[in-house]
Amino acid sequence: MAESAIRIGIGNDIHRLVEGRKLILGGVEIPFDKGLLGHSDGDSLSHAITDALLGAAGLGDIGTHFSDKDARWKDADSMVFLQHVCGLLAERGYKIGNVDATILAERPKMMPHIPAMKAKLAETMAIDPAQLNIKAKTNEGLDAIGRGEAIAAQAVALIFKSKACDG
Ligand code: MG
């Protein structure tokens, strides 16, 4: 069966908020008294987007490509993961149509930081910022996110192969 020229993927990630870590989301450091715990920098937004892109391309998940058992990725900048995955897609002739993402965080306020996240992520993915949408919402005080114990993110990505790429 012919491979579909348009594909979608979904990504989901959560990291625990702890003291003594920088809060990094979308590759941007956000001033806060806690940060996200992880083998890498714990950037749940970037991880969700990376997983959505991998999912769209049928290339597994972020853990397969960047194992949390691998010392190379200790405290790694998650932009390295995202850039690598965009390279894998480009090698296969895929272009990114658009990415939509939601951050789930009780605190701090995300809105002031979203323009910087968009700029950083779009630059890393080599796309126009207009192809990327980032939303943020609280969890209305419910569950671990609502209690401020974690920050999660969700993302969807659409990728395509243009006719010219199909040859
Ligand atoms: Mg993660």
Side-chain angles (χ1 to χ4, degrees):
M1 188 164 54
E3 191 181 359
S4 170
I6 301 173
R7 300 174 60 112
I8 63 164
I10 187 169
N12 227 314
D13 198 41
I14 186 166
H15 282 267
R16 192 181 289 271
L17 268 173
V18 296
E19 283 171 10
R21 294 269 299 184
K22 287 180 183 171
L23 177 56
I24 297 171
L25 282 169
V28 173
E29 188 176 337
I30 297 169
F32 195 51
D33 57 359
K34 291 180 179 177
L36 294 171
L37 183 63
H39 184 67
S40 67
D41 61 9
D43 184 340
S44 50
L45 173 60
S46 300
H47 294 178
I49 292 172
T50 302
D51 253 352
L53 293 168
L54 283 169
L59 292 173
D61 63 27
I62 194 168
T64 312
H65 292 267
F66 310 100
S67 169
D68 62 5
K69 307 283 184 286
D70 191 330
R72 274 183 300 170
W73 312 127
K74 178 92 179 81
D75 296 323
D77 178 353
S78 294
M79 293 302 104
V80 171
F81 304 160
L82 183 58
Q83 194 166 34
H84 179 79
V85 165
C86 287
L88 295 178
L89 267 59
E91 280 170 19
R92 287 159 179 77
Y94 286 115
K95 291 179 178 166
I96 295 169
N98 74 298
V99 173
D100 184 27
T102 303
I103 302 165
L104 297 157
E106 210 66 18
R107 286 176 61 236
K109 284 244 180 299
M110 292 294 155
M111 280 303 167
H113 306 287
I114 285 180
M117 291 180 199
K118 273 186 77 169
K120 179 78 177 179
L121 289 165
E123 183 194 1
T124 303
M125 290 190 277
I127 61 173
D128 191 290
Q131 292 170 268
L132 170 63
N133 192 66
I134 302 172
K135 309 179 294 297
K137 58 197 300 176
T138 71
N139 219 31
E140 297 288 334
L142 296 164
D143 297 341
I145 295 164
R147 290 192 298 271
E149 296 169 9
I151 291 179
Q154 305 162 335
V156 290
L158 184 145
I159 64 172
F160 66 95
K161 283 186 184 179
S162 63
K163 288 269 187 283
C165 291
D166 289 338

